[in-house]
Amino acid sequence: MLVLTPKAVDVVRDITTQEGVPPEAGLRISTPDNAQSFHLAITEAPAADDEVVVAEGARVFLDQDSAAFLDDKVLDTGLDAKGNTAFVIGPRS
């Protein structure tokens, strides 16, 4: 199962607890092309077949392809080339 670092937990909680976001919302990770790329979105609830990862109040919903690919991975955060926060996926050590 996907593991979230403490930094990733903080970011997911921050973006899913903003004003106007439903209390049960989460970050949904899906892949339209068999894990060649990922689509991230804030959604009100998981889809019927999503795997749900909960870590210290942060909720991440994974579609079936994403869940299979990310099963042995860690979700972290870092800075992109412009200095913006970005999610980073790495191997579990």
Side-chain angles (χ1 to χ4, degrees):
M1 180 177 289
L2 178 69
V3 173
L4 281 67
T5 66
K7 291 189 305 183
V9 166
D10 288 343
V11 171
V12 171
R13 272 197 316 235
D14 286 349
I15 61 178
T16 58
T17 58
Q18 294 180 17
E19 186 174 328
V21 178
E24 297 300 314
L27 175 69
R28 184 163 195 265
I29 302 175
S30 59
T31 181
D33 50 11
N34 296 323
Q36 297 299 310
S37 65
F38 294 101
H39 179 260
L40 281 68
I42 302 304
T43 60
E44 293 183 11
D49 61 346
D50 281 356
E51 181 176 304
V52 178
V53 178
V54 179
E56 299 178 40
R59 295 168 42 99
V60 177
F61 311 139
L62 305 168
D63 74 358
Q64 294 298 305
D65 288 335
S66 297
F69 181 79
L70 299 173
D71 186 53
D72 61 347
K73 306 289 189 287
V74 174
L75 181 66
D76 198 1
T77 60
L79 297 178
D80 66 13
K82 296 180 181 180
N84 298 314
T85 300
F87 287 105
V88 179
I89 296 172
R92 252 191 274 176
S93 45

